[in-house]
Amino acid sequence: MNKIRMKSYIYAAVIGIGVMLLAGPAQSAAVDPHSSYIGSNFEDYYVNIPAAKVQWSSSMDIQADNYSMGKGVVAVGGAKVFVLQKGQLVAFNVQSGKLLWKYGSKLKSPLLYQEGILYVTSEAGTIYAVNATTGKNKWSSNVKTQGVTQLTVDKDQLFVANGDIGAYRLKDGVFQWRDDYSEGFYEPLLVEGNLVLAENTISGAYMYDVLHALDRTTGKQLWESGNHALPIAATTGTILSQRLANLMDLLPLTTLDSLDVKTGKIVKTVEYNPNHIDPNNPELGNGFVSSGGKAWISGNRMYINEGATIYGYPANTDPATVTRDTYSSTGSGQLLTYAAGPYDGRILFSNGESIYGVKTANKSLVSYSGLSRPIARFDLLGHGMYVAQTDGKLVVINLLTAAPVVQLQTSGRVFGPTILENGMIIVQSKGKLTVFKEPQILSMK
């Protein structure tokens, strides 16, 4: 090797050594574990769940607040989906996503579909009835109601709520009445027979809720009943309402009153005492005073929710004479509260991060755990549980087997109710509508 080439090799080697000295020794967490942190460094539980095949999607108007979005902004019916886009009412074929028609301008939610007609209001407060097949106007209201938050159809009337309650004739939109009560009502309103029912709160030395009954023909208040909730059932001549606790009356037992529909007077009272407490000394072992549970009727059963436990009784029977059923999530080892059901043979409990079910047939516990993020909401459709997470992912779980079926990644973080229409699943996330086919295994024939 000649001297010039030898000098070149020596020069390169010296430079290489210099670079290594400047760079310093290579570092590794295995050598210095104090320079790294290992957390959830593994694949997502649902990484291998197949993605739902999106059939079509569409933009829709973003709601001004998350509460409105949570109620839902989509209407469905007749194999169609109806949304608002830039203030226009837009109709799509639910199967194909084909645009069918557009109507109006400066329109606002809520939307209501009823027997082939869409009801919607404008920013100015005009109410429109639109033919769902053709997109043509059927009528426009002759009196405006601004800030509508609920639309309800019953028999031949359309009822609108915006704190006040108003009624319009269903066939032509003619205004009939607005309530004569000075204070505002809460949502929702209910219509039962000749009564329009709504609640509000009275403040004074203490606060208490009041149930109001309006005449559906005139809007005049017929009666009011303090410390009563919206009814859970109705029979001929009476409505069944749960009595509500207040600061002066803690109500240690779940108490249901039958109210006369004409006067609001209590004609019958039934108390439920599933924990067999002494109502005259209702302090529990934990030092707290019991205030009863939340009651509702499903099918022919009365259910009472007390935290992590649901009690079931035959409806329309004296609870002291029958054996109650108990559905409890305490065996999960987690602090859970009632979430939904009974549905498809399950009563569901959640802590906002995981879901457990109790089978109504044998009281056994079913785990639906494994969700990767906190739960925004879930909806039960067919045999499926559609769980929307706060990271925008929708996870679809088989209620009967507890196995995940498909997943859908959305760009939203706030969701309206997931809807099933004509074999299609409709997902409402903020500003976007996404549609895919209902998994066949979850279809309830």
Side-chain angles (χ1 to χ4, degrees):
M1 182 180 297
N2 61 44
K3 291 182 179 180
I4 295 176
R5 183 174 297 179
M6 179 62 73
K7 287 181 179 179
S8 299
Y9 282 135
I10 293 172
Y11 181 70
V14 170
I15 291 176
I17 293 170
V19 171
M20 291 176 64
L21 290 173
L22 289 173
Q27 289 184 301
S28 168
V31 175
D32 184 3
H34 303 289
S35 62
S36 299
Y37 167 77
I38 307 297
S40 299
N41 191 31
F42 46 82
E43 288 186 329
D44 187 283
Y45 179 85
Y46 290 113
V47 68
N48 294 318
I49 302 174
K53 183 180 179 182
V54 175
Q55 297 297 306
W56 61 277
S57 63
S58 172
S59 64
M60 59 183 182
D61 289 350
I62 295 176
Q63 298 303 297
D65 59 88
N66 292 335
Y67 173 74
S68 298
M69 182 65 221
K71 291 196 306 179
V73 294
V74 171
V76 301
K80 300 178 185 66
V81 182
F82 309 93
V83 301
L84 294 176
Q85 289 183 341
K86 298 180 179 179
Q88 278 192 308
L89 179 60
V90 181
F92 297 99
N93 179 289
V94 70
Q95 294 282 341
S96 66
K98 179 183 177 181
L99 175 63
L100 301 176
W101 50 259
K102 293 183 178 183
Y103 174 83
S105 63
K106 296 183 179 181
L107 303 180
K108 297 180 61 178
S109 63
L111 305 178
L112 174 66
Y113 174 91
Q114 190 80 14
E115 296 183 352
I117 303 295
L118 256 295
Y119 300 93
V120 62
T121 63
S122 71
E123 293 177 1
T126 301
I127 302 171
Y128 299 99
V130 182
N131 185 299
T133 300
T134 65
K136 303 297 183 182
N137 178 277
K138 180 181 178 183
W139 54 254
S140 303
S141 64
N142 62 335
V143 172
K144 296 178 180 181
T145 300
Q146 291 186 311
V148 173
T149 56
Q150 182 186 351
L151 298 168
T152 301
V153 166
D154 186 82
K155 297 179 181 177
D156 59 353
Q157 288 176 287
L158 171 69
F159 299 95
V160 301
N162 65 343
D164 294 325
I165 299 173
Y168 292 81
R169 196 161 62 195
L170 194 64
K171 68 177 182 179
D172 55 14
V174 171
F175 176 77
Q176 296 178 313
W177 55 259
R178 204 176 308 279
D179 74 83
D180 61 352
Y181 189 69
S182 60
E183 303 295 330
F185 296 113
Y186 300 146
E187 293 179 52
L189 65 84
L190 294 179
V191 184
E192 183 60 53
N194 190 48
L195 301 180
V196 181
L197 299 152
E199 290 180 275
N200 77 332
T201 299
I202 301 297
S203 298
Y206 62 95
M207 297 175 63
Y208 62 97
D209 293 326
V210 179
L211 175 65
H212 299 264
L214 311 181
D215 186 312
R216 70 176 297 162
T217 303
T218 65
K220 303 296 183 182
Q221 178 166 292
L222 299 176
W223 51 263
E224 63 180 52
S225 183
N227 301 312
H228 279 104
L230 288 173
I232 62 174
T235 58
T236 302
T238 64
I239 57 174
L240 186 64
S241 172
Q242 181 167 355
R243 196 183 304 177
L244 301 174
N246 60 58
L247 185 63
M248 305 302 293
D249 186 357
L250 295 177
L251 276 182
L253 304 183
T254 301
T255 305
L256 297 179
D257 292 324
S258 294
L259 307 179
D260 183 275
V261 296
K262 294 182 179 180
T263 66
K265 302 297 184 183
I266 298 174
V267 297
K268 180 182 178 181
T269 296
V270 178
E271 294 179 326
Y272 290 81
N273 190 6
N275 288 316
H276 306 294
I277 66 171
D278 179 359
N280 298 313
N281 184 27
E283 186 172 301
L284 304 179
N286 55 16
F288 292 98
V289 175
S290 169
S291 60
K294 177 72 173 178
W296 74 97
I297 292 177
S298 179
N300 60 356
R301 302 282 292 173
M302 174 73 71
Y303 293 93
I304 310 290
N305 167 220
E306 293 190 5
T309 304
I310 300 292
Y311 301 100
Y313 298 83
N316 304 315
T317 59
D318 181 353
T321 65
V322 297
T323 301
R324 61 168 169 76
D325 287 313
T326 302
Y327 310 95
S328 176
S329 63
T330 54
S332 67
Q334 300 189 46
L335 182 61
L336 307 171
T337 57
Y338 168 76
Y343 181 90
D344 210 14
R346 307 286 189 273
I347 294 177
L348 300 169
F349 299 83
S350 178
N351 60 3
E353 294 186 352
S354 59
I355 302 170
Y356 285 80
V358 176
K359 295 181 181 180
T360 55
N362 58 16
K363 319 294 176 55
S364 63
L365 196 66
V366 179
S367 173
Y368 297 97
S369 60
L371 299 170
S372 59
R373 292 293 185 273
I375 299 164
R377 66 175 300 140
F378 70 78
D379 299 281
L380 308 176
L381 303 167
H383 294 301
M385 177 163 52
Y386 294 76
V387 185
Q389 300 182 155
T390 56
D391 64 350
K393 182 184 293 184
L394 180 83
V395 180
V396 184
I397 303 174
N398 189 319
L399 268 171
L400 302 183
T401 67
V405 179
V406 295
Q407 60 182 328
L408 173 73
Q409 185 64 56
T410 77
S411 58
R413 297 294 183 271
V414 181
F415 296 83
T418 301
I419 303 172
L420 174 61
E421 169 67 16
N422 199 32
M424 306 299 286
I425 299 297
I426 302 160
V427 180
Q428 306 179 63
S429 58
K430 203 168 186 178
K432 189 171 183 179
L433 178 74
T434 308
V435 181
F436 61 92
K437 288 184 179 180
E438 179 188 28
Q440 187 174 2
I441 194 174
L442 304 181
S443 178
M444 188 179 287
K445 303 301 184 184

